[in-house]
Amino acid sequence: MSTLAAPATPAPRSAWRTDLPVLLVAVVWGASYLAAKGITTTHTVVAVLVLRFAVVLPALVVAGWRSLRALTGAQWRGAGVLGLILGVIFLLETYGVVHTSATNAGLIISLTMIFTPLAEAAVRRTRPPRAFLAAAGLSVLGVVLLTQDGGFTRPSAGDLLILLAALARTVHVLAMSRLKAVRDADSLSLTTVQLGTALGMFAVLAVLGTGRSPWSVAVGFGAREWAGLLFLSVFCTLFAFFVQMWAVRRTSPSRVSLLLGTEPLWAAAAGITLGGERLGAVGLLGGALVLVGTGWGRGAPRELPGGRS
């Protein structure tokens, strides 16, 4: 069984150039919990997702029109598949955040950094490096301490949705890395097709009457809600997935997931600075472990086997 070769291991300096944008994605995703909970209810999830994607898609189409026309049929289909997975991720995450606490969501979604190396190793039929698993485990322990300090609540249906979202994130990261059709395509055009596909999915659900209509939700938004929506659209959607698509083809999926696994740390930081939350000694220790584990794990992906089997 043949598999795609792993991305070449970046040199230390170029690795930082790749890692820093991914860390910025983790920062804005961490802040997205407060933003999403501030503008979304059970009955407006689909409507908010339609608005969130519709805000940025026209600009993407205009900016990347020439590269979009250059995509082959196979690249359109590959990007479309990624877009469907992306749409599922957003539905699971948004419904999950509405039905659980941000603390629980931050802990559970961080399991992506464990799921990804395990799934990557299973696909390649290899054993993941012990150092990487140890680093990821240390980071997860840090997240547990961090969220326990904030009060880990009893598991709910929302927690299950977030767990499924973590699994879907793993599938998305691996698919971006391994779909041969999209490997050589322009990142901007692939991001545009993905977001357009996801928007189409949300629009169909809105037409079928899943919650309130996007128009009624938009009319009811004030300045604060629109500011939250623009933050989710521009930074948490456009910037985040463009960087993820760009980075995953320059390093390993496991490395990307480990860096994105710092998301709960930034969620806690947003809660402290913007939401008025406080962390005790346990939470501060947890945050330190997340940083140590992530820093340690940055070197471990170099041991991941590449080549063809």
Side-chain angles (χ1 to χ4, degrees), residues 16 18-29 239 243 256 258-263 266 291 294 298:
W16 273 112
T18 303
D19 290 351
L20 284 176
V22 178
L23 278 175
L24 286 176
V25 170
V27 172
V28 297
W29 275 355
F239 169 75
V243 168
V256 170
L258 184 73
L259 293 166
L260 292 179
T262 62
E263 179 182 333
W266 307 115
L291 291 176
T294 304
R298 287 185 69 251

Side-chain angles (χ1 to χ4, degrees), residues 63-104:
W65 179 248
R66 185 171 299 177
S67 59
L68 281 171
R69 294 182 63 185
L71 290 177
T72 65
Q75 289 171 334
W76 275 94
R77 290 189 294 273
V81 170
L82 292 175
L84 291 175
I85 300 172
L86 185 62
V88 170
I89 292 171
F90 273 96
L91 286 170
L92 290 171
E93 283 188 350
T94 310
Y95 274 113
V97 167
V98 168
H99 292 290
T100 190
S101 66
T103 298
N104 280 29

